[in-house]
Structure formats: structure tokens, C-alpha cells
Amino acid sequence: MKKLLCNVLFALFLPSAAFAADTSEHDASLLGLLVPLIAVTAAMLAMLWWIKRGKASTGSGPLKLIQAVAVGTRERVVVLDAQGRRLVLGVTPSKIELLAELHATDTSATTP
């Protein structure tokens, strides 16, 4: 019972070392370090792939952000393409207003 209690308390502070107590010393040094390392690395790579995939799918919709310029602390002028139309919008925390609609051949809004 004391050994079980020691293993549980030890598992709270060093989980890989607690699993190593149950296996032989040779296998414990290898498995106790590599298995958690591989699991964490795989989880991080899966999360990075998921985040990258999510951001890539947002730009392929009907709206495409061309440029956004801050004109105040919370106000922006935004140029975007919406299904072939180029719109200039004024964006504030309380409303979004259409400022102008540009022709598709007009590229003056994309120059900084």
C-alpha cells in the first residue's frame, strides 16, 4: 500500500517517472521519455496543421480583404473584393458604412 501511495504521489509531479517504476529500468528509460515526447510532438504538429488549415479556408470565400488602414484607435478604412466588386468601407465599433465602390480595373487603392 505504501508503494502504491508513493507511486501516485510521484505521478503527480513526474508522470513519466511514475510509469517508469512499473517497467524494467532499461525499458523505462527509453519508453518513459520517448512515448510522451512523441505524443506531445504529434499533438503540436496536428494543432499547427489544424490552425493553418482553418486560416487558409477563410480567405477562399466570396470576400477577399485587399487592404485595411487604421484611421483612429478603433476605426479603419477597408478595401475588399466582394464577388467581383471592389468596395471601400468605413469600419467603426458601432457600424460599417460603404464609402465608395471602385471599378475592378482601378488599382489605386492597393498602393500604400
Side-chain angles (χ1 to χ4, degrees), residues 3-24:
K3 185 176 180 182
L4 179 64
L5 183 60
C6 288
N7 282 342
V8 169
L9 290 176
F10 199 63
L12 292 175
F13 298 107
L14 297 170
S16 63
F19 290 119
D22 295 337
T23 61
S24 68

Side-chain angles (χ1 to χ4, degrees), residues 41-98:
T41 304
M44 288 175 59
L45 289 174
M47 186 174 282
L48 287 173
W49 174 80
W50 182 71
I51 289 171
K52 185 177 178 182
R53 182 177 166 252
K55 292 201 185 265
S57 67
T58 59
S60 64
L63 297 178
K64 184 180 229 183
L65 180 67
I66 303 299
Q67 188 174 7
V69 178
V71 293
T73 56
R74 298 173 67 187
E75 296 83 14
R76 295 189 177 279
V77 175
V78 177
V79 179
L80 59 93
D81 279 337
Q83 297 179 346
R85 297 170 53 191
R86 185 159 287 187
L87 305 173
V88 180
L89 303 174
V91 180
T92 66
S94 61
K95 67 179 179 176
I96 299 172
E97 188 172 336
L98 177 65

Side-chain angles (χ1 to χ4, degrees), residues 35-46:
V35 171
L37 179 66
I38 292 170
V40 169
T41 304
M44 288 175 59
L45 289 174

